[in-house]
Amino acid sequence: MIEARGLTKDYGEKRAVDGLSFTVEPGVVTGFLGPNGSGKSTTMRLILGLDRPTTGDVTVNGKHYRDHAAPLHEVGALLEARSVHTGRSAYNHLLALAQTHGIPKRRVQELIDLVGLHDVARKRAGQFSLGMGQRLGIATALLGDPSTVILDEPVNGLDPEGIHWIRNLLKGLAAEGRTVFVSSHLMSEMSLTADRLVVIGRGKLIADTTVEDFVERASEKIVLVRSPEAERLRDALAGPGISFVDAERGALEVHGLSAEQIGDAAAAAGIALHELTPQQATLEEAFMNLTREDVEFGHVEEGVAA
Amino acid sequence: MSAVAARVPRLEHVGRVTQARVFLSEWTKFRSLRSTLWSLGVGMLLTVAFPILFAFVTSARWGHMSPEERASRSPMDIALAGVNVAQLAIAVLGVLVISGEYSTGMIRATMTAVPKRLPVLWAKVGLYALVSFVLMVPAVFVAFFASQAILDRHHILQISISQPGVARSLLGGALYVTLVGVFALGIGAIVRNTAGGIATFSGIFFVIPPLMNILPTSWNNAISQYLPSEAGRQLFALQHADHTLTPLAGGLLMVAYCAFVVGLAAFLLVRRDV
């Protein structure tokens, strides 16, 4: 369980996170979505106490992260920026972190096997590929058997098999009742794994809702209607805030009314309808619609802001 | 890599973070880097090799030396000749122990595991001081006995370990290098950057002292004795001049400098963003 209240972080003149309030619940995968540079990584650093908020507050499982007696058991984190000494082997990296909590060596070996690094565990982490680095980061995150898992862009650098593995892992962790908070700038990835979404743009909260609600909210009401009496239908539906676009093959796109409203109005006027199809926006389109004004850096990497 | 493997095994018991556990963790980090082994190896090698080299050179040239030149040679200067060089290796490693975490990003993992942060600094300082001292003590004694054995073949510059101040100077040499390591670690924690940390350390220990010669002699004598390098080296000076501190006073001042630097590092560590 992660609870942010009015979370704000300034770096000099620049406001990276601006009054964020949201709750991440256990038992589901919560996607953390926003364009590059929108403040996702900063928010995660604030949750972990690596950065101090300018104002506001964030707690994990009811306490500030630094106040937990066994922090790795509360939260396991994969940060986007690499957090491994390049000169140390994966095994020793995990062992050193495990020892801070008295976690046995056996556990270190278990996780190396789990993420598939057994062949390279004794190699220096500086020689790792991006994908191997991500796997090591995930092993690090799971080391303390945490009740909350925070992963910043976990599929970065993974091959399709690795991406598939991450998706299963995330769902499995949520099914075990853990809190799973995963950031991404890729909508398609979130639509496959997340149940809930926290969406931010320019450091501000845009939405904190389910994936379905988010799509619903972001979709303009558009209904495709087909009727032999198109002209009469137009007259029957006309009103303020309602517009019509001629679609192909004599169909009509109605903007501003739900399918139910159109159907009822047509029935009342005795007009036959041959088709009545609500046009659902994809998650991708919903995201684009809601964050269009909030894209700040275009293609600049988010790591720069962190 | 199948879906079945995605289940995370449960951990039956997780302990709380303690200072002792953080110390053990820092030991694992310390011993698992090549830079550690290299720097410590070089530091010990220099401590022993320089006195042996100096003893050979002095022995070989003794017959050609003027009486004044012979009088200027001291057996303890030869025995501790390596300390001045070894301190650089130990200082560089001291900076790296902390700056290496910042340059690689490891510091984020470290501070996520120990979010109270200070136990990490205490563990690094304590561990590094312990390791440096434990390695430097035998190094200076080996340097002493080896250089004395070489000089003994020519029956020159003999001094006994039981003579007043000799054992203290040897232990003082080891302690001096240890304190230099702690000072450098503190600088590294403040600067958080390898190049900057080594440059800052070098400025304080190697650039400022000779600059003091620009000052009028009376000023130089009054001020220089309080510089960390000058105060610290009284720990291994057999005799002390009028304008130098006693070994105890110099040693205590050096400890105070280390406490100040590490204290400032601690203050900044809890306040700054990682």
Side-chain angles (χ1 to χ4, degrees), chain A residues 9 45 52 65 96 99 107 114, chain B residues 5 9 25 28 112 270 273-274:
Chain A
K9 179 65 180 178
R45 294 165 55 81
R52 242 163 244 264
Y65 180 70
Q99 283 169 332
R107 173 72 176 181
L114 177 79
Chain B
S25 161
T28 298
T112 305
V270 289
D273 291 342
V274 172

Side-chain angles (χ1 to χ4, degrees), chain A residues 287-300:
Chain A
F287 178 63
M288 297 305 282
N289 284 341
L290 281 176
T291 60
R292 193 172 292 135
E293 286 86 49
D294 294 304
V295 179
E296 195 161 7
F297 295 119
H299 294 97
V300 179

Side-chain angles (χ1 to χ4, degrees), chain A residues 9 45 49-52 65-66 69 71 73 82-84 88 93 96 99-101 107 114 135 145 169 176, chain B residues 1 5-7 9-11 15 17 21 25 28-29 32-33 105 108-109 112-113 115-117 270 273-274:
Chain A
K9 179 65 180 178
R45 294 165 55 81
L50 291 173
D51 287 8
R52 242 163 244 264
Y65 180 70
R66 67 175 171 280
H73 188 49
R82 274 231 187 155
S83 314
V84 181
R88 196 172 284 124
H93 171 77
Q99 283 169 332
T100 60
H101 285 60
R107 173 72 176 181
L114 177 79
R135 287 170 188 269
D145 193 16
L169 179 74
E176 287 171 353
Chain B
M1 223 32 46
R7 298 218 74 80
R10 301 311 293 241
L11 189 58
V17 178
R21 284 178 169 150
S25 161
T28 298
K29 285 192 204 168
S32 58
L33 287 178
R108 287 186 281 271
T112 305
K116 290 191 170 63
R117 301 185 187 178
V270 289
D273 291 342
V274 172

